[in-house]
Amino acid sequence: MALKRNPEDSIQYDEEISVTSKAKQLFTSSGSGKRKAETKILTTFSIEPSFKKELEDLFADMGLSWAGGIRFSLKEFLKKYKNQ
């Protein structure tokens, strides 16, 4: 006795495979010409609490965490003043 295959199941299975393969491709470190991620170095500096709060609010409005906002700010500073 043969079982009938449900065509809807095979479509969903194919979609899951394509999603899985895309996710693997996205998160693998090899390929696609991206540079290899370096390990991060912990740095410290002193800042007034009120100024930090202002920056945290600004970064939050931009959708960034504290560390992400600092990294973004430093990259923008470097772009602006690199040739001077």
Side-chain angles (χ1 to χ4, degrees):
M1 179 175 153
L3 296 175
K4 276 192 168 179
R5 188 174 190 189
N6 187 352
E8 292 176 8
D9 290 343
S10 64
I11 292 171
Q12 184 178 3
Y13 180 72
D14 291 340
E15 289 174 0
E16 288 175 9
I17 290 174
S18 66
V19 168
T20 303
S21 63
K22 286 179 184 178
K24 285 181 183 177
Q25 181 183 10
L26 179 64
F27 292 109
T28 55
S29 59
S30 63
S32 75
K34 293 182 181 178
R35 66 181 176 152
K36 187 177 178 182
E38 296 180 74
T39 57
K40 297 201 174 20
I41 299 171
L42 177 64
T43 59
T44 59
F45 59 94
S46 299
I47 187 171
E48 295 88 2
S50 59
F51 185 55
K52 182 179 183 211
K53 179 66 177 149
E54 288 178 38
L55 290 175
E56 284 177 325
D57 292 342
L58 175 65
F59 297 155
D61 290 343
M62 297 170 65
L64 298 170
S65 65
W66 168 252
I70 294 296
R71 284 191 295 269
F72 174 80
S73 301
L74 291 172
K75 287 177 186 176
E76 289 299 311
F77 181 86
L78 182 63
K79 285 180 192 176
K80 185 174 181 179
Y81 292 104
K82 190 174 187 176
N83 296 327
Q84 291 182 357

